[in-house]
Amino acid sequence: MAKSALSFVCQNCGAAYNRWAGKCEACGEWNTLAEEDTTGATTMPVSIRSRRKGRLFALETLTGKSHEAPRLSSGMAELDRVIGGGFVRGSVLLVGGDPGIGKSTLLTQATSLLARSGHRAVYISGEEAVAQVRLRAERLGLADAPVQLAAETSVEDIVSTLSEGAVPRLIVIDSIQTMWTDTVESAPGTVTQVRASAQALIRFAKKSGAAIILVGHVTKDGQIAGPRVVEHMVDAVLSFEGEGSQQFRILRAVKNRFGPTDEIGVFEMTGLGLREVSNPSELFLSERDLGSPGTAVFAGIEGTRPVLVELQALVAPTSLGIPRRAVVGWDPSRLSMVLAVLEAHCGVKLSGHDVYLNVAGGLRIQEPAADLAAAAALVSSLANAPLPVDAVYFGEISLSGAVRPVAQTSARLKEAAKLGFGRAVLPESARGDAVGDAGLSLNTVASLTSLVADIAARGSAQGNREGANLEKNATPARFRRENG
């Protein structure tokens, strides 16, 4: 009989050690090492393994016909947009998000819509009883949907039950951290159990052709808990984002083998569940404060969809030796870069001010095209000069102060015109890309200096002292003198 081998496995990253330590050297986390049996029940003697012969398999060439994977629509357009048009047979998806963000609500609605369309959908909960799932379905008005429910955590029992009868088209496992398998001797939720349970479910999906959705817990940093190898094993990783105090929810694809990873799905949390938002720009701009300094509308692109969102900035004098730099919804490194360019090339002194930047609505912006809108909002707040309420901004700022063009200019302008905006501030070199009659007045800027001078000229005489100093000093002549 093989001797049981014990090791200490990090529950955050999966690294194994021969003895316990307070800190994991691989990921740097403290108190995450737990003792586990790494042999498992599938271990066989070396003499038997050495006598086992391999199985012959056929090799194919790169040439040949590749059939597109058939997809099954979920009935929710926003969900289909993120996963690439629908569920692929035999695919496994991993959905992660903060507790209470709406993962179970979203998957309950998806399974109910599939069941109503005549497909077999199974919802297996390892955290809730069947009665609790029924109560949620009643609250959402989906109690009449023929979804098959179960409260089970044994992977072997789940696979045996689902193998009987017709193959389910969609299976939801909520959550993978509660599953356990007999092949390993560890507590549910440990790295070994999560990896083994996910492997067994993935093997069943590939063999039967059923699409499986695994719900995963997240850590305090927003990463999916458990071994990182599970994210490599599945076909798609979806992140459900949002703030508990806001009704907006963003579904984003982090990894997708059968579709794009730059699409987002926008939902609104209501009393009857998650409502799809077909035009997120109207939702993000619905509570916009018109005429306030420090606000600018950014015309962005999320995948193939143009999205207009408001950027809010606050620049205030500080009494601290090191001023604060806080940003929500944007890359802090890009904010530091924009502040450095403003001070080096535009004469805007921000070293004695606290800077706060926020993306309204809970959306996270990842493209550099928001540089121009962020700079406009920062200078507007410093100069106490409100920006035009009918203007949108987009453009990338280089370290030399030049404004560089961005992709899909026409789509941004069309979305702005559809929502009633009258003008757009964009890079000068992007004027030729503005194809089509969008009905907007285009204000092109070649460098950040001209934009800062234009905003400073709007500052009122009743502004604060900081805005008045900027209005008097931030002139093109001063920029030419400082830049030599």
Side-chain angles (χ1 to χ4, degrees):
M1 181 178 295
K3 184 179 180 181
S4 177
L6 297 177
S7 64
F8 296 88
V9 181
C10 176
Q11 304 303 305
N12 183 59
C13 65
Y17 300 90
N18 293 329
R19 61 181 180 177
W20 185 87
K23 179 181 179 181
C24 176
E25 299 297 335
C27 63
E29 295 292 330
W30 289 85
N31 299 324
T32 57
L33 299 187
E35 186 177 6
E36 295 185 13
D37 185 0
T38 58
T39 56
T42 58
T43 303
M44 64 179 65
V46 179
S47 58
I48 298 179
R49 287 183 296 177
S50 61
R51 292 197 302 265
R52 179 181 177 272
K53 294 184 178 181
R55 175 181 57 88
L56 298 178
F57 57 91
L59 298 175
E60 299 183 6
T61 62
L62 294 177
T63 59
K65 295 183 179 180
S66 298
H67 300 282
E68 185 179 355
R71 296 182 181 269
L72 175 64
S73 175
S74 65
M76 306 178 70
E78 293 298 306
L79 179 58
D80 290 341
R81 174 192 295 271
V82 176
I83 62 180
F87 297 110
V88 178
R89 294 181 59 90
S91 62
V92 180
L93 292 79
L94 179 62
V95 180
D98 294 332
I101 202 67
K103 302 185 297 297
S104 299
T105 301
L106 175 67
L107 298 179
T108 301
Q109 294 181 229
T111 52
S112 300
L113 292 175
L114 274 176
R116 284 179 174 177
S117 60
H119 302 284
R120 184 187 179 190
V122 181
Y123 191 102
I124 298 178
S125 176
E127 302 176 349
E128 299 175 304
V130 174
Q132 292 177 286
V133 181
R134 288 173 177 170
L135 287 176
R136 183 191 304 117
E138 292 178 2
R139 188 179 72 251
L140 301 177
L142 304 172
D144 59 335
V147 178
Q148 297 178 334
L149 303 177
E152 185 57 53
T153 58
S154 174
V155 174
E156 284 76 16
D157 295 344
I158 292 174
V159 172
S160 299
T161 303
L162 297 179
S163 301
E164 298 293 331
V167 177
R169 295 302 305 270
L170 179 64
I171 304 170
V172 174
I173 305 294
D174 188 7
S175 64
I176 187 60
Q177 275 79 14
T178 61
M179 299 293 122
W180 63 276
T181 174
D182 294 333
T183 58
V184 294
E185 296 184 6
S186 299
T190 58
V191 170
T192 307
Q193 278 288 2
V194 171
R195 181 171 54 241
S197 300
Q199 184 180 12
L201 293 172
I202 292 173
R203 189 185 307 113
F204 171 75
K206 302 303 180 183
K207 181 179 179 180
S208 64
I212 297 181
I213 300 179
L214 306 178
V215 179
H217 297 168
V218 295
T219 62
K220 60 181 180 180
D221 299 329
Q223 302 293 329
I224 297 179
R228 198 62 182 256
V229 69
V230 175
E231 299 185 27
H232 296 279
M233 294 164 60
V234 299
D235 298 308
V237 180
L238 308 181
S239 176
F240 207 36
E241 307 169 355
E243 299 291 337
S245 59
Q246 297 177 346
Q247 68 270 28
F248 311 131
R249 301 291 186 269
I250 307 296
L251 183 63
R252 190 186 303 272
V254 181
K255 167 192 174 182
N256 194 354
R257 291 174 178 167
F258 304 110
T261 58
D262 52 2
E263 294 284 358
I264 64 169
V266 184
F267 300 87
E268 181 182 7
M269 180 63 75
T270 64
L272 297 177
L274 292 169
R275 183 182 66 87
E276 299 179 71
V277 179
S278 57
N279 192 350
S281 299
E282 292 182 349
L283 190 63
F284 292 138
L285 299 177
S286 59
E287 300 180 359
R288 182 185 172 202
D289 190 6
L290 301 177
S292 298
T295 61
V297 178
F298 165 60
I301 293 290
E302 291 289 343
T304 59
R305 168 193 289 176
V307 177
L308 269 61
V309 65
E310 182 184 32
L311 268 64
Q312 303 170 348
L314 176 61
V315 180
T318 181
S319 58
L320 303 176
I322 301 177
R324 296 177 179 176
R325 301 290 187 258
V327 57
V328 178
W330 201 39
D331 187 6
S333 300
R334 296 209 68 87
L335 174 61
S336 301
M337 188 203 72
V338 171
L339 294 177
V341 173
L342 286 173
E343 188 156 353
H345 297 285
C346 304
V348 181
K349 304 301 180 182
L350 296 171
S351 57
H353 295 77
D354 292 333
V355 175
Y356 303 91
L357 186 68
N358 176 49
V359 179
L363 180 67
R364 297 192 61 86
I365 299 177
Q366 299 179 350
E367 59 172 336
D371 292 349
L372 195 63
L378 291 170
V379 178
S380 172
S381 176
L382 180 63
N384 195 25
L387 299 176
V389 297
D390 62 340
V392 296
Y393 298 80
F394 60 91
E396 181 183 356
I397 298 176
S398 64
L399 293 179
S400 62
V403 181
R404 300 170 57 87
V406 294
Q408 303 188 39
T409 300
S410 299
R412 303 174 196 262
L413 297 178
K414 290 179 181 179
E415 181 70 12
K418 184 173 65 174
L419 294 179
F421 288 86
R423 67 183 76 178
V425 181
L426 68 161
E428 184 176 1
S429 54
R431 180 184 289 271
D433 298 334
V435 182
D437 186 13
L440 295 178
S441 175
L442 303 182
N443 182 15
T444 58
V445 291
S447 65
L448 190 58
T449 301
S450 58
L451 177 65
V452 172
D454 180 67
I455 297 176
R458 297 176 178 272
S460 60
Q462 291 79 16
N464 56 25
R465 179 175 301 179
E466 301 296 335
N469 291 336
L470 179 62
E471 184 180 357
K472 292 187 297 182
N473 297 329
T475 60
R478 181 194 175 205
F479 295 133
R480 289 194 297 268
R481 183 170 63 254
E482 288 189 353
N483 295 334

